[in-house]
Amino acid sequence: MRLPPGFKLITLEKVDSTNNEAKRRAEMGAVSGTIVHASEQTHGRGRRGRQWYSPKGNLYFSLILRLPCSATEGLGISFVSATAMCDALAGIVSPMTEVTVKWPNDILINRRKVSGILLESATGLNGTLRWLIVGVGVNVSSFPGETEYPATSLRYEGVTGARPDDVLRAFMRHFKRWFDIWENDGFSSIRTAWLNRATGIGKTIKVRVSGKVFEGEFLDIGDDGSLLVERKTGETISIMTGDVFPSDEI
Ligand code: BTN
């Protein structure tokens, strides 16, 4: 498969989780830009300890990055990746189809989740990242039922011919472009690009943080990628980790 320069692809048939395999390889010294791809995962993992539905036919991969920055700065890569996947999928679906991002890094087609991203990292004693792993799943041909947030697949949204490989190639092309912008200009350009693709700005949303649900207006994201929500009391809260839902759900 042709990928942008600087990336190296490892393809596996079946693995527990490409993030687990990428971590093992990162600890063994795999170079930055290594991509671990598998056709199937037996223990695919989502954010916040959830399972990730991982049968054959969908896309599962993890990109190993070694960046000379702190874990907090590295969080920018979460928004780089979501923006890149949003652009990659927008180029695959039919032109009038709505492809958006949902904080922090879900990709929605017609308001249903088609792709999720799980970032994991290890930091050295000096606070610099030793490695950062960007784990990406895309529902290409099938999607799970009974999810908390409605799910979809590219096939369900009318894309008949796309294969997992095509999506990976398109993602890597856009990732390289947005990564270069992040490296050269910092987070601010990425923040603007992400906001331009975001769903729910100015709308009332519910955010679940450690089991508690807050309702308020989705104002913005902060310089650190946090979600800024204005509560009915007028107070603005800044959230670093949580799950976002439209106000009429949960
Ligand atoms: C989420 O939305 O909860 C994040 C989902 C991330 C899933 C991908 S699939 C490839 C990689 N390997 C994993 O075990 N998880 C990520």
Side-chain angles (χ1 to χ4, degrees):
M1 182 193 300
R2 267 181 77 86
L3 291 175
F7 296 100
K8 177 184 156 194
L9 182 65
I10 295 166
T11 299
L12 307 168
E13 199 44 51
K14 197 194 259 194
V15 73
D16 53 348
S17 145
T18 56
N19 264 38
N20 293 354
E21 182 63 22
K23 271 192 209 175
R24 292 188 283 263
R25 290 182 185 244
E27 288 297 345
M28 300 285 284
V31 294
S32 190
T34 303
I35 301 164
V36 178
H37 166 250
S39 307
E40 201 177 338
Q41 301 184 116
T42 54
H43 293 85
R45 296 188 285 111
R47 289 171 60 228
R48 316 170 77 64
R50 290 186 282 251
Q51 283 183 357
W52 185 258
Y53 168 86
S54 304
K56 262 194 184 159
N58 292 341
L59 175 63
Y60 317 105
F61 70 91
S62 303
L63 167 64
I64 301 171
L65 294 172
R66 297 188 190 274
L67 305 170
C69 66
S70 68
T72 313
E73 285 167 323
L75 277 180
I77 295 296
S78 164
F79 295 86
V80 165
S81 307
T83 304
M85 186 54 85
C86 187
D87 289 0
L89 297 181
I92 290 173
V93 296
S94 64
M96 295 309 287
T97 307
E98 184 195 68
V99 187
T100 52
V101 292
K102 178 171 83 70
W103 188 85
N105 53 24
D106 291 341
I107 295 81
L108 310 181
I109 297 184
N110 294 327
R111 314 269 153 129
R112 294 157 67 124
K113 179 163 168 174
V114 69
S115 171
I117 299 173
L118 175 65
L119 245 69
E120 296 185 287
S121 63
T123 315
L125 287 177
N126 60 359
T128 304
L129 283 175
R130 285 201 296 117
W131 47 256
L132 176 72
I133 288 168
V134 185
V136 184
V138 182
N139 299 332
V140 177
S141 15
S142 64
F143 61 93
E146 310 276 311
T147 44
E148 195 173 44
Y149 201 91
T152 193
S153 67
L154 289 176
R155 182 180 286 170
Y156 185 81
E157 298 299 333
V159 179
T160 45
R163 292 168 312 149
D165 280 12
D166 301 328
V167 181
L168 174 56
R169 204 176 310 109
F171 171 80
M172 289 314 303
R173 203 158 40 82
H174 288 285
F175 180 86
K176 171 86 176 96
R177 188 165 58 87
W178 286 115
F179 181 84
D180 289 349
I181 292 172
W182 176 77
E183 259 201 326
N184 295 325
D185 304 353
F187 183 59
S188 69
S189 309
I190 301 303
R191 177 174 167 272
T192 307
W194 188 94
L195 285 167
N196 285 335
R197 291 156 180 76
T199 181
I201 296 179
K203 301 223 171 86
T204 305
I205 54 167
K206 280 187 178 155
V207 192
R208 192 176 54 213
V209 183
S210 318
K212 268 193 175 169
V213 178
F214 299 90
E215 192 170 46
E217 185 187 330
F218 175 12
L219 289 182
D220 205 344
I221 58 169
D223 293 340
D224 53 358
S226 58
L227 176 74
L228 302 178
V229 176
E230 186 179 284
R231 302 194 66 192
K232 287 221 175 73
T233 55
E235 176 201 14
T236 298
I237 52 173
S238 158
I239 296 161
M240 278 311 284
T241 48
D243 291 307
V244 173
F245 300 87
S247 70
D248 48 357
E249 286 178 33
I250 63 164

